[in-house]
Amino acid sequence: MPEEDTIAAISTPAGEGGIGIVRVSGTKAFDLVDQIFIPHRGKKKEYPLSHHLYHGHIVNEKGEVIDEVLVSFMRSPHTYTCEDTVEVNCHSGIVTLRLILRLILKKGARLAEPGEFTRRAFLNGRIDLSQAESVLRLIQARSEEGVKLAALNVKGYLANEIVSLRNSIMDNLAQVETSLDFPEDLEDDSIMEAQLKSNLEKIINQLKDLLEGADRGRAYQEGIKTAIIGKPNVGKSSLLNALLKQQRAIVHEMPGTTRDLLEGYIHLGGYPIRIIDTAGIRQTVDPVEQEGINRSKNAAEEAQLLLIVLDGSTPWEAEDEAITRLIREDQAVLMVLNKTDLPPRTTLNEVQERLPGIPVVSTAIVKNEGIRQLEEEMIKLLDLKLGHGGENTALLSLRQEEAIKGALHHLEKAVEQLDTYPLELASLELHNAWKKLGEITGDTVSDELLDRIFSQFCIGK
Ligand SMILES: Nc1nc2c(ncn2[C@@H]2O[C@H](COP(=O)(O)OP(=O)(O)OP(=O)(O)O)[C@@H](O)[C@H]2O)c(=O)[nH]1
Ligand SMILES: [Mg+2]
């Protein structure tokens, strides 16, 4: 795709609104808009001044007024894309926006691809790839904390960390290479190797910290995945409704009511939480129900927090036992002993004895009892699991996480090889680690990967 052509797109969401923006970027941006814009005060000597706002009208080929607008002309390089950029602020009717865009395209601009403005900002060196990707995260953030974290990365937080880690790897690599080239200058092999090892271990720990912080970051970004699971008819959908404070799911005395996953979104103690109600898990021959149960199990597998609901008015059964075996070691789990308004057949003590270390809350959801306590327990668990924002929280995309894991793998191999193998091998691993981290900042990245990343953006960003 030639980068020198001039691109244009509607940059605000479709729909009626106060203001809509058509953005144009490229060498011909000023000229193209100049052909269809008539400034209110005429075109004086220095028109248009960069980074000034002009009031006037957009007119079509026949000279008919399309809209009253404010236009900002911004000269390269101090623009989003680093190119000459013009933004036409018009009234946000989709027809108006399209008419203006069409006029600009007719004059010679090309419709921008998704994310192309941000891609140009990256290709022109204004931001690195981690910053570009964070723009997307910022747009998609589901919580205040998520916005703050993404904004940090847009400013370059992650980029700086990665650049500094890459520099450290390069310093150590240089040391290895020198000793390979001039072995006679080396006073003592083992001293150098010990030093090298300790340096690399420091870098490894920093990378591990980043990965650990990413779990937290993702939770804030996407919402903490919370699955409500249990046997049929225990009150899972009732619990979803109680937590959402709305009648979202169908509740019925017939076991097997919920067939598909159902989702809602709440904030608890500052945590954004995505709650998923699932089909009751049991043995069944009904293929539709079985498909629902498979989905329940997948949701349980992917969840960061599991709410396992039990019916206190029935005895603990093999099916309850089977469900508790779905718990993964790294998941936060809370048992909800429901229907405590009915004569008890399973007690709190029994559940505690069966599942030592897992907190249990009694509820009678039909009477709205125990919900507040349940919410408090959820917050406590999340505090334990995620801690409150701030320290060591990073926002990483899966791609960035994979690159860090790859770099870690190479560094760990390098440390291993220092003991037994010639230094050449360690040098190769260090080089690979350095390259892997370069994928995050975009220093070592293919066009194909760029296409994949920017295709997730909307047109106009
Ligand atoms: N007595 C009593 N009944 C309850 C309580 N909570 C839910 N129920 C009733 O239990 C029945 C099943 O509730 P649901 O919320 O549909 O249960 P579920 O676990 O989603 O069931 P499936 O979707 O079939 O797996 C309904 O008749 C509810 O009114 C409770 O605390 N006490
Ligand atoms: Mg249900």
Side-chain angles (χ1 to χ4, degrees):
M1 164 185 344
E3 297 303 338
E4 60 277 5
D5 56 357
T6 296
I7 52 170
I10 297 168
S11 280
T12 40
E16 293 171 14
I19 298 170
I21 298 177
V22 178
R23 177 149 61 171
V24 193
S25 176
T27 45
K28 288 194 290 181
F30 278 34
D31 177 47
L32 296 185
V33 177
D34 187 41
Q35 295 177 45
I36 59 166
F37 175 59
I38 302 184
H40 181 58
R41 296 184 147 181
K43 297 179 181 176
K44 299 200 179 128
K45 209 171 77 196
E46 284 166 343
Y47 171 87
L49 283 168
S50 184
H51 292 80
H52 276 62
L53 210 53
Y54 289 90
H55 174 221
H57 292 93
I58 295 289
V59 292
N60 66 14
E61 292 94 339
K62 295 182 199 153
E64 294 162 344
V65 170
I66 302 293
D67 197 9
E68 182 185 9
V69 295
L70 285 172
V71 176
S72 50
F73 293 91
M74 294 169 279
R75 273 268 176 242
S76 133
H78 299 295
T79 64
Y80 187 70
T81 54
C82 285
E83 302 171 338
D84 283 354
T85 300
V86 182
E87 285 180 8
V88 180
N89 293 246
C90 60
H91 292 104
S92 181
I94 191 62
V95 180
T96 312
L97 280 162
R98 284 204 188 130
L99 279 175
I100 296 173
L101 174 64
R102 203 174 302 150
L103 281 174
I104 295 170
L105 296 180
K106 254 194 203 159
K107 296 290 175 199
R110 169 174 66 73
L111 183 65
E113 312 254 341
E116 197 172 356
F117 292 95
T118 308
R119 185 178 186 144
R120 287 186 173 200
F122 163 65
L123 290 173
N124 292 327
R126 193 179 71 79
I127 53 176
D128 84 335
L129 194 57
S130 75
Q131 291 170 292
E133 277 186 280
S134 305
V135 170
L136 186 63
R137 300 272 112 66
L138 186 68
I139 296 170
Q140 295 173 337
R142 301 289 307 257
S143 73
E144 194 177 327
E145 201 69 35
V147 167
K148 284 188 205 153
L149 288 170
L152 265 182
N153 282 358
V154 173
K155 252 179 74 187
Y157 169 75
L158 181 63
N160 290 340
E161 292 271 301
I162 297 294
V163 167
S164 126
L165 284 163
R166 285 187 94 207
N167 286 342
S168 308
I169 294 175
M170 194 43 95
D171 288 345
N172 287 289
L173 181 59
Q175 209 184 335
V176 173
E177 300 272 322
T178 315
S179 70
L180 285 172
D181 291 344
F182 308 102
E184 66 281 2
D185 290 354
L186 216 61
E187 285 172 10
D188 188 341
D189 257 17
S190 58
I191 294 181
M192 189 203 96
E193 279 177 24
Q195 180 62 47
L196 200 59
K197 229 182 195 173
S198 121
N199 292 350
L200 295 186
E201 264 152 15
K202 236 190 249 159
I203 300 173
I204 287 175
N205 286 335
Q206 277 172 283
L207 286 173
K208 283 186 175 161
D209 279 351
L210 261 180
L211 284 180
E212 208 175 282
D215 266 354
R216 221 161 288 167
R218 181 157 317 115
Y220 283 118
Q221 176 75 14
E222 297 170 1
I224 297 151
K225 247 192 175 178
T226 301
I228 305 177
I229 60 169
K231 275 184 316 196
N233 212 39
V234 291
K236 298 179 297 300
S237 300
S238 307
L239 177 58
L240 176 80
N241 292 346
L243 288 170
L244 296 182
K245 320 238 179 286
Q246 71 179 74
Q247 297 308 308
R248 176 95 169 74
I250 300 173
V251 166
H252 201 275
E253 62 191 20
M254 193 176 70
T257 300
T258 307
R259 289 294 178 102
D260 214 339
L261 302 182
L262 210 68
E263 234 181 82
Y265 204 83
I266 55 167
H267 276 87
L268 267 188
Y271 294 107
I273 300 180
R274 257 177 77 192
I275 317 176
I276 303 160
D277 178 26
T278 66
I281 298 174
R282 65 172 165 185
Q283 296 291 343
T284 178
V285 287
D286 177 345
V288 179
E289 187 177 8
Q290 186 56 51
E291 177 53 31
I293 292 172
N294 293 344
R295 289 179 189 202
S296 303
K297 288 182 177 167
N298 282 342
E301 162 84 30
E302 287 171 9
Q304 290 163 294
L305 172 60
L306 274 184
L307 301 178
I308 301 183
V309 186
L310 303 168
D311 180 346
S313 69
T314 61
W316 175 278
E317 292 173 329
E319 279 174 333
D320 294 304
E321 187 71 39
I323 287 164
T324 59
R325 282 201 291 271
L326 295 173
I327 301 173
R328 275 188 299 125
E329 214 170 89
D330 59 333
Q331 278 173 322
V333 185
L334 187 57
M335 302 301 296
V336 183
L337 184 63
N338 189 34
K339 305 201 186 182
T340 49
D341 52 308
L342 299 177
R345 302 287 299 279
T346 305
T347 62
L348 195 78
N349 280 343
E350 186 187 345
V351 182
Q352 278 168 339
E353 272 168 28
R354 285 183 186 277
L355 301 164
I358 297 184
V360 191
V361 183
S362 300
T363 58
I365 302 174
V366 272
K367 298 188 162 175
N368 208 26
E369 282 172 21
I371 302 298
R372 186 62 225 146
Q373 201 201 339
L374 174 78
E375 290 172 340
E376 275 162 16
E377 283 297 325
M378 285 169 70
I379 295 171
K380 254 197 244 164
L381 269 180
L382 294 174
D383 279 346
L384 267 180
K385 189 171 159 60
L386 300 170
H388 256 293
E391 88 284 358
N392 189 23
T393 307
L395 201 55
L396 299 179
S397 65
L398 277 181
R399 188 190 77 79
Q400 293 165 336
E401 217 175 306
E402 284 310 307
I404 290 182
K405 283 182 186 159
L408 252 179
H409 171 77
H410 289 302
L411 287 171
E412 279 166 348
K413 260 176 105 175
V415 170
E416 244 175 69
Q417 287 166 347
L418 278 178
D419 286 334
T420 33
Y421 296 100
L423 275 178
E424 276 92 346
L425 283 181
S427 146
L428 186 69
E429 295 297 347
L430 289 184
H431 189 78
N432 284 338
W434 180 81
K435 244 171 80 182
K436 261 284 165 224
L437 288 185
E439 288 178 11
I440 296 180
T441 46
D443 290 282
T444 52
V445 80
S446 65
D447 274 354
E448 201 187 347
L449 184 58
L450 289 183
D451 286 346
R452 220 171 62 216
I453 292 171
F454 287 103
S455 65
Q456 298 168 45
F457 281 64
C458 45
I459 290 187
K461 189 62 224 172

